[in-house]
Amino acid sequence: MARVIFNRKISSDYYRMRILCPEIASRAKPGQFIMVRITELLDPLLRRPFGIHRLCHERDKHTDNNSPSCIEILYKIVGKGTIVLSEKKKGEGIDLMGPLGNGFYLEQNIETAVIVAGGIGVAPLFSLAQVLKGVKGKNTSRDKLTIFIGGENRKDILCLNDFKKIGARVVVSTIDGSLGTKGLVTDLLVNFLRKHSPLETKNLKLFGCGPLPMLRTLSEIAFYKNIPCQVSLESRMACGVGACQGCAVPTEINKEGDRVVLYQRACKEGPVFDSTIIFWDYKSILLKV
Amino acid sequence: MKQLHKKIDLSVDIGGLKMRNPVMAASGTFGYGEEYEEHVPIDHLGALITKGISLKPHSGNPPPRLVETTGGMLNAIGLQNIGVKALIKEKIPNLMKFGTPIIVNVFGSTLREYGEVARILDGIDAIKGLEVNISCPNIKRGGISFGTDPRQVFKVVSKIRKASALPIMVKLSPNVTDITTIARSAEEAGADVLSLINTLTGMAVDVDNRIPKLGNITGGLSGPAIKPIALRMVWEVYNKVNIPIVGIGGIFNTYDALEFIIVGASAIQIGTAHFINPSVAMEVINGLENYLRDNHIGTIQDLVGSLETPTFSIL
């Protein structure tokens, strides 16, 4: 069974847990997730999904070329499940299923990447940055990997130094202006694209994870600028393996010339999707009920 | 050979459905089987019941489709499925390799559709039975609207009886005043087996935004929370019909399964528990074997309906 290496409070509502699980860690890709059984008892009942935050070893902070033996999850206390999880102690066994789902699709020749993270959405994006840096080599300049991190206030800005340490450029925004630029994280991206000529951003790839409105804006920007964009979506899940269809995400698919809505499973086809296929107008579907 | 090491025989034959043990994977919780391939030794299951299948594909309900409640979960998937033709072409060939009996859960929005789906599935070797879904609470037409009226139940089951020579198991809804009248109708119409219960209709509200927590507003409650109700209904139906019953509802371990068998179930289905513990079916199969051995009971059949109720009264 997997074992908790540490379970640390990193700020008011956020925790980071490192778990020794070589079988999962050695196969895991950025963007994939694990299903954690919170308790052996039946309350809370369902497993909870967590994106793989970091691939690492028991002691060191960052992965080297050896196959990682540990994963980390980064989580926010939002309810009963995460409260119980936060009480797990070092050395305790923990029941995991994974790695699950499809991670980020990474081509070999990614020249420049921009990652946009909103709040706890930063969780699966650190392992992505780790691998992106790995793909391109440690000596590539900071300009090649930029992270925009946004949140309500300074407490929601996580992993700032971790991204810096792996050699990424980090820019922060908060809604209340308590850290970085005041405003939305997607505005940082708009400014970035304004400053760079289309030629400079020709081979740019976008990645994002965060609240739905943020991802929707990100997707619209990517669409207008014609930049490939992958987003990792959060959804409530029961099974995590594609059996229950509970985590369905509405997507728009071209079928014989018509755009039709097709539900895809966040746990199986996702959680990472090409942003152009997501049917963002969730609310208009709800109105049809 | 010592008695202690004697291999316990868990095999059952319920209404023509032959299984190596009485533990089945419930419809809707096990996908088309392949999803659990890496997580569960599917070949050990008594039988596998597919997601509910209709004539044409269904897209399902808008999200959110799930919400956890105390001791259970509400779902409103809306019978999203690939349709009977795709099932036969794309899923059955893969499922066959496990050698586990496949039961297809069928539903329709009209009587005719029920019959049509049953007819298409008849004669396919790997399929060993049909489970007729007259109890899904999450679609507007079909499903539960057929399952709450004894006359409609009779019509649907008769239709399928005519269309198929396979053993027919009818899945009953608990969202009725008297489940035994529905059970009797299904039996009279030619059902071989009854399975019960499907989920109980429920809802949950997001008080911050004053909106339902489910896209479909209401959903079906499953999990440990519904077990006492399921047990009571199995016991009631057991006392009123002469065909075998398959117990469903919050079975999470061997003792839960035993409770259902003791009140009258000849076999059981495990649903929601798979999500939390993919090994649950294997644990229950081993647990049943140990229980029979420890209590010197020969077969599962000897345990079915063995509930002893008080016979005295104080005046």
Side-chain angles (χ1 to χ4, degrees):
Chain A
M1 195 189 240
R3 190 162 53 80
V4 176
I5 301 297
F6 62 70
N7 189 18
R8 280 182 203 146
K9 188 172 185 165
I10 57 167
S11 75
S12 55
D13 291 333
Y14 298 94
Y15 281 75
R16 206 174 109 198
M17 185 191 284
R18 181 176 292 183
I19 308 162
L20 179 67
C21 51
E23 282 178 23
I24 293 173
S26 60
R27 290 183 293 142
K29 294 186 183 73
Q32 289 189 299
F33 68 97
I34 53 169
M35 287 296 270
V36 179
R37 187 164 175 184
I38 302 292
T39 166
E40 289 297 304
L41 306 172
L42 298 177
D43 184 33
L45 185 67
L46 297 170
R47 285 173 184 261
R48 299 287 194 269
F50 293 96
I52 290 163
H53 172 55
R54 186 190 304 246
L55 293 163
C56 56
H57 292 278
E58 211 172 319
R59 291 187 192 287
D60 65 357
K61 276 202 144 165
H62 306 301
T63 182
D64 52 34
N65 291 330
N66 298 330
S67 173
S69 61
C70 292
I71 61 165
E72 282 183 14
I73 58 171
L74 183 71
Y75 60 98
K76 184 180 185 178
I77 305 292
V78 290
K80 195 160 57 179
T82 40
I83 289 170
V84 176
L85 190 66
S86 73
E87 287 158 1
K88 285 251 180 222
K89 299 277 183 299
K90 178 183 171 181
E92 265 188 72
I94 185 164
D95 182 349
L96 310 178
M97 286 170 72
L100 301 168
N102 280 314
F104 292 99
Y105 172 67
L106 300 178
E107 290 163 80
Q108 286 304 308
N109 58 344
I110 295 178
E111 282 184 23
T112 3
V114 171
I115 294 177
V116 184
I120 191 62
V122 76
L125 298 173
F126 184 74
S127 62
L128 172 69
Q130 278 184 305
V131 170
L132 282 174
K133 268 292 169 189
V135 167
K136 291 183 307 207
K138 283 185 178 133
N139 301 323
T140 47
S141 86
R142 283 186 187 270
D143 291 343
K144 299 292 178 191
L145 180 62
T146 304
I147 325 286
F148 296 128
I149 309 179
E152 289 287 329
N153 60 58
R154 62 184 307 138
K155 285 180 192 159
D156 299 316
I157 306 300
L158 309 170
C159 309
L160 206 59
N161 291 325
D162 298 309
F163 282 113
K164 283 181 183 163
K165 270 183 208 157
I166 60 166
R169 198 163 78 94
V170 190
V171 189
V172 172
S173 74
T174 50
I175 304 284
D176 70 353
S178 55
L179 194 68
T181 313
K182 186 172 175 169
L184 295 170
V185 70
T186 42
D187 294 341
L188 297 177
L189 176 65
V190 172
N191 285 335
F192 173 90
L193 294 173
R194 201 175 284 149
K195 277 186 217 152
H196 292 76
S197 68
L199 197 67
E200 285 176 291
T201 57
K202 202 173 136 240
N203 293 312
L204 178 67
K205 307 275 186 238
L206 282 173
F207 301 92
C209 184
L212 220 49
M214 181 208 106
L215 292 179
R216 184 179 182 159
T217 308
L218 173 64
S219 172
E220 281 163 3
I221 296 167
F223 179 77
Y224 280 114
K225 297 282 181 178
N226 200 18
I227 303 168
C229 177
Q230 297 177 48
V231 291
S232 176
L233 298 185
E234 202 180 37
S235 181
R236 283 196 206 122
M237 291 181 186
C239 73
V241 299
C244 75
Q245 318 256 28
C247 60
V249 172
T251 62
E252 282 183 291
I253 300 294
N254 210 331
K255 195 180 174 189
E256 291 151 17
D258 289 330
R259 300 286 278 176
V260 294
V261 174
L262 173 78
Y263 288 111
Q264 299 199 52
R265 297 165 293 185
C267 72
K268 197 76 183 178
E269 287 80 35
V272 177
F273 292 94
D274 178 328
S275 70
T276 53
I277 72 160
I278 304 297
F279 184 72
W280 292 103
D281 215 351
Y282 273 66
K283 281 195 180 134
S284 73
I285 308 184
L286 292 175
L287 288 175
K288 284 185 206 158
V289 176
Chain B
M1 204 199 251
K2 274 188 189 169
Q3 184 72 18
L4 231 127
H5 297 289
K6 198 179 142 196
K7 181 84 182 146
I8 298 284
D9 181 17
L10 287 181
S11 67
V12 291
D13 179 343
I14 51 165
L17 208 60
K18 291 179 185 63
M19 304 187 289
R20 64 174 73 88
N21 63 61
V23 180
M24 310 152 108
S27 179
T29 64
F30 219 69
Y32 302 107
E34 62 193 22
E35 293 86 354
Y36 270 109
E37 209 172 316
E38 282 175 48
H39 309 278
V40 179
I42 293 173
D43 56 334
H44 286 55
L45 289 171
L48 183 160
I49 307 169
T50 69
K51 177 78 189 159
I53 290 289
S54 49
L55 193 57
K56 296 270 169 0
H58 268 233
S59 58
N61 284 333
R65 291 176 169 185
L66 290 174
V67 57
E68 182 170 323
T69 58
T70 308
M73 60 173 267
L74 286 165
N75 86 79
I77 311 299
L79 289 171
Q80 177 172 352
N81 80 94
I82 56 174
V84 67
K85 284 180 182 143
L87 176 87
I88 293 167
K89 205 171 147 214
E90 295 161 23
K91 304 295 180 185
I92 298 294
N94 179 53
L95 276 182
M96 280 168 65
K97 69 177 185 227
F98 299 108
T100 299
I102 302 164
I103 298 169
V104 179
N105 182 290
V106 299
F107 77 96
S109 42
T110 60
L111 261 181
R112 182 194 212 120
E113 188 182 349
Y114 273 102
E116 189 69 2
V117 178
R119 194 189 55 73
I120 293 169
L121 290 165
D122 192 46
I124 294 172
D125 253 3
I127 298 170
K128 302 298 182 199
L130 301 179
E131 181 175 59
V132 187
N133 186 351
I134 52 166
S135 45
C136 179
N138 294 327
I139 52 168
K140 287 195 180 72
R141 283 181 307 146
I144 201 164
S145 60
F146 287 101
T148 51
D149 176 352
R151 286 163 300 181
Q152 288 290 333
V153 171
F154 188 87
K155 281 186 193 163
V156 171
V157 178
S158 304
K159 189 92 183 168
I160 290 180
R161 181 75 288 165
K162 284 193 195 98
S164 177
L166 288 167
I168 294 170
M169 173 157 71
V170 180
K171 188 167 182 177
L172 305 183
S173 170
N175 304 304
V176 293
T177 315
D178 180 1
I179 196 166
T180 64
T181 57
I182 305 286
R184 293 281 293 274
S185 285
E187 182 182 27
E188 281 165 27
D192 300 297
V193 185
L194 300 174
S195 56
L196 57 139
I197 58 175
N198 205 324
T199 55
L200 284 141
T201 316
M203 69 189 282
V205 175
D206 168 352
V207 295
D208 292 328
N209 300 300
R210 298 185 205 164
I211 55 170
K213 285 189 177 176
L214 291 171
N216 189 52
I217 304 173
T218 62
L221 182 66
S222 65
I226 72 167
K227 196 188 75 175
I229 300 167
L231 276 171
R232 184 262 296 174
M233 289 187 162
V234 167
W235 180 69
E236 283 178 347
V237 171
Y238 178 73
N239 287 308
K240 287 279 169 66
V241 301
N242 296 308
I243 52 176
I245 297 165
V246 175
I248 324 165
I251 298 177
F252 270 63
N253 57 45
T254 304
Y255 293 106
D256 295 336
L258 284 165
E259 282 189 82
F260 276 92
I261 294 167
I262 291 166
V263 299
S266 298
I268 56 106
Q269 292 180 17
I270 297 179
T272 303
H274 278 122
F275 304 154
I276 292 102
N277 175 16
S279 315
V280 60
M282 303 310 122
E283 290 169 16
V284 170
I285 293 164
N286 290 332
L288 289 178
E289 196 176 320
N290 291 338
Y291 182 87
L292 291 188
R293 183 184 291 119
D294 294 349
N295 292 282
H296 310 289
I297 297 165
T299 66
I300 287 286
Q301 194 51 46
D302 297 336
L303 203 58
V304 176
S306 59
L307 183 76
E308 288 182 38
T309 48
T311 51
F312 61 88
S313 59
I314 299 165
L315 291 172

